[in-house]
Amino acid sequence: MADHDVVVVGGGGAGLRAAIAIVQARPELSVAVVSKVYPMRSHTVSAEGGAAGVIAGDDSLDEHAYDTVSGSDWLCDQDAVEAFVEEAPRELLQLEHWGCPWSRQPDGEVAVRAFGGMKKMRTWFAADKTGFHLLHTLFQTSLRYPQIVRYDEWYVTTLLVDDGRVEGVVGIELATGRIEAITGRAVVLCTGGCGRVFPFTTNGNIKTGDGMALAYRAGAPLKDMEFVQYHPTGLPFTGILITEAARAEGGWLLNKDGYRYLQDYDLGAPSPTPVMRSMELGPRDRISQAFVHEQEKGNTVDTPYGPVVYLDLRHLGEKVIDAKLPFVRELCRQYERIDPVHELIPVRPVQHYMMGGVHTDIDGATGLAGLFAAGEVACVSINGATGSAPTRCPSAWCSAAGPGSRPPSTPWRTPMPRASRPRSPTSGGAWSTTCWRAATVASGSPTCAPTCSTRWRAASGSSATPIRCSPASRSWASCGSGSRRPPSRTPAGRSTPSWSRRWSSGSCWTSPRRWW
Amino acid sequence: MPDTITLQVARYRPESESAPTLQEYEVPLREEWAVLDGLNYVKDHLDGTLSFRWSCRMGICGSCGMTVNGDPALTCGTFLTDYAPGPVRVEPLANFPVIRDLVVEIDDFLHKLPEVKPWLVRDDDGGVDDVEFLQTPEQLDAYKQYSMCINCMLCYSACPVYGIEPDFLGPAAIALAQRYNLAPATSAHQRLDVLATDAGVWACTYVGECTRACPKGVDPAGAIQRYKLTAAARTLLPWGKR
């Protein structure tokens, strides 16, 4: 048996951020990071587009909060959003200080780009490999701290609960099959989502919902599990994500007739250059649902891997594509054998993100004493029914930084600087805010093969593959259009009352407004 | 194009078998299928006992590096049709101990990585935690290439020096050290005691296989040669100026 002060389950963005936050706040604590993969394999690595945070002079926290709340279809918890948008710039800046290679403006300030659902340019990015740089920056920075003890390729099977309090986990070392208890005063779940429930997903093989299952079995409530985000632009067959940044930089979605069909779905009027929160930069769920309607009208193109529409980047030119979207070009060339500089990219909606997860309060605490959660596995909720795209990465960060330092009873929230704060002589003055859905972590392992899969077979006498591929295919067919305005929010455990809270600038928003 | 292709897959359980053996599987040959899709077909339909690592299948997580027909490669980005009519031989990465089948032990790299201090040590870290440090695109370009390493271990597998000299820090670790050496406001000499050693850059004989193997366009061989210059120039300085 091994004993630590805190046990973090999952080693992606949220898990590593939480671990670093803990040892920075309380250097005397020992933190275990237990992950079924090596941390740099975690699915945070696949995030492409960027992370939202207020930095530009013409932007404000209120506007970021409003975009986030409306992007959630008015179903998020507004006090959580308020904390998130405040926290986001600090977290993004922290990453910069750790060496994250954010893309820059010619004058040296961090560059921001437009993104779906955002009215202002506030999405920080590292070309189109944002998650990769984020994860590796965090992983490498975590190596500084000897107090962080990693259990790489250890698969957590059970939360240890004693008298209503979580006291640790049981893990299997995948390489050897050794089973061991790893105890701690607090456990932080950072295991990512469960996209692999679906047959067509952008998620890596490791995103199997392990943390949600662990929490559920231990008695912690889940919430909003019916809210599943479909990304409008996945490559057929592989489900590889073509980042929203491709549309933010000016890409168009075309049906089989070459027509920008989004104008028929109450998403604004077409314009040659991108317009914030309009057309291709509308919310992901609206764009995915428009695809379903186009399909019903017979306006999509059939392929062996399902109907597709086209993403057109050709008018951006080779220079812009290579500078801003190099990974998109690399992925298209390698996996689709087309060059987006000269050809249309076939795309279709693909399961991308779980808005729901383990219910937590604003500090990351779940309904079970001693158990915290951060990232995609958690639901605070700032995503509501459909999170704004670049909100997810940042939210992971913020939520991870929170519970990270909270178990040792350190106040974790500090006021976030506003864009108007005085500039330091050494700084360009830009405050960037972007939180990270660090929690897009993942757990899951290659070597999971010998254990999980074999155990499943042993127990059921069958392969999990047909199971994964059947029930989910039904729900994916409508791109989650049922999730847009669900009949009611699933009450789960303690529900944080948030609607009565007042914003600093006025009352909370309660009525949906139009997007543009 | 034939409908199927033969995979010759290395099978090995070190605890009970004395040597690896090749097992043949017939898998569908489709234009879109990578070698990894073939392995998953085996796993899902033919033989669930086969062990291998994979996750993102978009060439960024670095899990699925294996030896395909003798060359180290990410199997998610290596296509079956490129090897038609086959067979395709799939073996674990060379230069690493095998845990099982195609899964190798990479703990050696994970022990070496912290030795090169792969984190930012700023010369001017004066406790400013709420300001942005400026960095021009040119400054970013100076180190960005070396930040693209996905730790897939193909370069270690390709490196003949690492094969015979296990103490060698290796291409990826040194490239990542350079990634932080070349960042603005940092000193390249912070890692001298680790890099300018017999197990560091001086072990490299500049074969260059690491750079050829890298699936992400990182040039570890260039990073190593460049640091040799840095280290050599410093030894020419009088003691007082080092």
Side-chain angles (χ1 to χ4, degrees):
Chain A
M1 189 179 87
D3 184 56
H4 299 271
D5 294 298
V6 183
V7 179
V8 177
V9 185
L16 293 172
R17 181 67 189 90
I20 294 171
I22 293 164
V23 299
Q24 283 190 327
R26 295 280 297 274
E28 72 278 15
L29 296 185
S30 165
V31 180
V33 175
V34 188
S35 172
K36 70 179 178 183
V37 290
Y38 290 101
M40 63 279 191
R41 313 298 188 216
S42 303
H43 199 63
T44 302
V45 82
S46 294
E48 296 175 34
V54 173
I55 181 171
D58 65 342
D59 200 359
S60 71
L61 297 181
D62 280 351
E63 286 172 283
H64 187 189
Y66 179 81
D67 285 349
T68 306
V69 172
S70 58
S72 78
D73 234 356
W74 312 90
L75 288 167
C76 63
D77 288 330
Q78 294 194 13
D79 50 355
V81 170
E82 183 186 33
F84 157 70
V85 300
E86 285 180 358
E87 216 42 47
R90 178 184 300 283
E91 283 300 316
L92 294 177
L93 213 51
Q94 177 63 76
L95 279 166
E96 194 238 22
H97 289 197
W98 285 335
C100 184
W102 296 117
S103 291
R104 302 284 175 158
Q105 299 173 7
D107 63 3
E109 292 186 357
V110 168
V112 285
R113 63 169 38 141
F115 231 75
M118 295 285 167
K119 272 185 301 201
K120 292 280 172 66
M121 305 241 282
R122 64 168 74 97
T123 299
W124 296 43
F125 59 101
D128 52 1
K129 290 188 179 178
T130 309
F132 161 76
H133 286 299
L134 177 104
L135 180 67
H136 281 253
T137 301
L138 272 177
F139 171 62
Q140 289 157 11
T141 300
S142 78
L143 299 175
R144 302 180 75 143
Y145 301 99
Q147 308 97 308
I148 298 176
V149 180
R150 289 205 323 275
Y151 292 74
D152 295 339
E153 297 199 333
W154 279 68
Y155 185 78
V156 171
T157 60
T158 314
L159 292 177
L160 293 171
V161 187
D162 184 25
D163 199 18
R165 185 177 174 82
V166 175
E167 302 279 3
V169 303
V170 174
I172 299 179
E173 187 180 37
L174 295 176
T176 61
R178 182 161 61 110
I179 296 174
E180 195 157 312
I182 304 168
T183 56
R185 310 296 82 72
V187 172
V188 188
L189 287 178
C190 302
T191 54
C194 59
R196 277 276 149 183
V197 164
F198 297 84
F200 189 57
T201 175
T202 62
N203 288 191
N205 184 43
I206 59 180
K207 294 195 64 182
T208 48
D210 304 345
M212 295 169 180
L214 287 172
Y216 180 77
R217 287 179 186 148
L222 309 185
K223 71 180 179 190
D224 289 0
M225 294 301 285
E226 73 277 32
F227 295 156
V228 180
Q229 185 182 85
Y230 289 80
H231 196 289
T233 56
L235 293 180
F237 178 57
T238 57
I240 289 173
L241 176 73
I242 297 301
T243 172
E244 187 159 315
R247 283 169 283 135
E249 297 297 337
W252 298 333
L253 280 173
L254 309 176
N255 67 13
K256 72 176 169 55
D257 302 318
Y259 173 68
R260 290 176 71 184
Y261 60 92
L262 293 179
Q263 60 191 287
D264 296 346
Y265 297 94
D266 197 24
L267 278 159
S271 138
T273 51
V275 176
M276 304 283 191
R277 291 180 74 171
S278 167
M279 290 296 287
E280 284 83 0
L281 287 182
R284 288 178 178 177
D285 60 334
R286 299 281 304 279
I287 299 176
S288 294
Q289 288 153 26
F291 172 92
V292 175
H293 294 304
E294 281 296 289
Q295 183 188 350
E296 288 165 358
K297 291 178 190 170
N299 290 340
T300 54
V301 179
D302 286 327
T303 74
Y305 300 104
V308 300
V309 289
Y310 292 112
L311 179 62
D312 187 358
L313 305 183
R314 296 172 301 177
H315 54 285
L316 300 182
E318 186 167 7
K319 203 171 161 188
V320 169
I321 290 174
D322 281 347
K324 299 284 188 66
L325 306 165
F327 197 31
V328 167
R329 195 176 185 192
E330 182 185 328
L331 290 169
C332 287
R333 280 176 151 176
Q334 192 160 12
Y335 293 94
E336 220 39 58
R337 306 203 175 186
I338 57 167
D339 186 348
V341 172
H342 306 294
E343 295 165 275
L344 297 169
I345 308 171
V347 291
R348 61 193 295 237
V350 54
Q351 191 281 339
H352 187 50
Y353 189 79
M354 295 300 295
M355 258 74 73
V358 183
H359 164 76
T360 72
D361 66 14
I362 199 169
D363 293 331
T366 71
L368 206 53
L371 184 66
F372 297 77
E376 191 177 351
V377 69
C379 183
V380 177
S381 144
I382 66 163
N383 288 313
T386 174
S388 315
T391 296
R392 300 190 335 269
C393 280
S395 77
W397 283 91
C398 295
S399 59
S405 48
R406 182 183 140 150
S409 67
T410 308
W412 66 274
R413 279 218 291 141
T414 42
M416 193 51 211
R418 296 245 167 193
S420 58
R421 272 179 65 160
R423 298 177 173 195
S424 124
T426 57
S427 109
W431 291 104
S432 301
T433 332
T434 302
C435 291
W436 269 96
R437 180 78 198 187
T440 55
V441 180
S443 44
S445 142
T447 16
C448 195
T451 47
C452 313
S453 206
T454 313
R455 274 166 18 112
W456 169 270
R457 264 169 236 275
S460 66
S462 65
S463 159
T465 307
I467 297 170
R468 181 172 82 80
C469 292
S470 65
S473 57
R474 288 198 299 276
S475 66
W476 115 259
S478 61
C479 290
S481 47
S483 76
R484 175 157 162 70
R485 293 194 189 281
S488 66
R489 183 163 182 169
T490 310
R494 297 175 293 146
S495 180
T496 314
S498 57
W499 296 94
S500 61
R501 179 151 174 183
R502 299 281 154 180
W503 292 90
S504 55
S505 58
S507 59
C508 68
W509 298 295
T510 54
S511 59
R513 303 179 200 174
R514 289 181 62 85
W515 274 92
W516 38 87
Chain B
M1 191 168 81
D3 290 341
T4 61
I5 191 167
T6 301
L7 293 185
Q8 297 176 331
V9 183
R11 303 300 306 268
Y12 187 33
R13 298 183 185 211
E15 68 277 11
S16 58
E17 296 164 2
S18 58
T21 54
L22 286 179
Q23 189 166 349
E24 294 200 347
Y25 301 100
E26 286 285 311
V27 301
L29 177 60
R30 296 182 187 155
E31 196 178 350
E32 300 84 358
W33 277 30
V35 172
L36 179 62
D37 295 310
L39 292 173
N40 272 322
Y41 181 85
V42 173
K43 177 95 186 159
D44 290 343
H45 301 285
L46 304 179
D47 186 350
T49 65
L50 180 65
S51 293
F52 53 96
R53 291 188 175 107
W54 73 285
S55 179
C56 77
R57 51 90 176 87
M58 56 190 281
I60 193 76
C61 79
S63 299
C64 68
M66 297 171 208
T67 306
V68 181
N69 274 10
D71 295 322
L74 292 180
T75 50
C76 72
T78 305
F79 291 84
L80 289 173
T81 48
D82 293 340
Y83 297 92
V88 187
R89 199 171 70 255
V90 187
E91 297 164 293
L93 285 179
N95 294 344
F96 294 97
V98 174
I99 296 174
R100 182 167 175 173
D101 296 340
L102 301 167
V103 179
V104 295
E105 162 83 62
I106 64 167
D107 281 2
D108 181 54
F109 168 74
L110 286 157
H111 290 136
K112 284 172 177 166
L113 188 59
E115 289 178 26
V116 303
K117 297 184 200 142
W119 51 77
L120 203 60
V121 184
R122 295 188 66 93
D123 295 339
D124 58 352
D125 200 359
V128 273
D129 60 357
D130 55 356
V131 298
E132 174 187 10
F133 291 113
L134 294 181
Q135 190 174 115
T136 64
E138 293 72 35
Q139 289 174 313
L140 178 61
D141 286 343
Y143 70 88
K144 179 141 196 195
Q145 182 219 133
Y146 302 123
S147 74
M148 306 304 268
C149 170
I150 61 172
N151 302 177
C152 65
M153 300 292 102
L154 298 195
C155 56
Y156 283 73
S157 183
C159 175
V161 175
Y162 183 64
I164 55 175
E165 184 52 71
D167 288 339
F168 178 37
L169 277 176
I174 297 176
L176 285 166
Q178 274 295 70
R179 173 242 192 279
Y180 287 102
N181 280 341
L182 297 172
T186 62
S187 163
H189 302 309
Q190 289 158 348
R191 299 169 182 87
L192 196 74
D193 57 334
V194 183
L195 297 180
T197 62
D198 291 346
V201 293
W202 300 120
C204 170
T205 56
Y206 200 23
V207 180
E209 283 296 327
C210 51
T211 296
R212 273 187 286 280
C214 180
K216 293 287 130 183
V218 181
D219 178 13
I224 295 171
Q225 307 323 307
R226 194 165 162 182
Y227 199 80
K228 284 179 181 173
L229 280 179
T230 305
R234 189 173 163 88
T235 58
L236 296 176
L237 287 175
W239 276 108
K241 294 194 175 178
R242 285 183 193 176

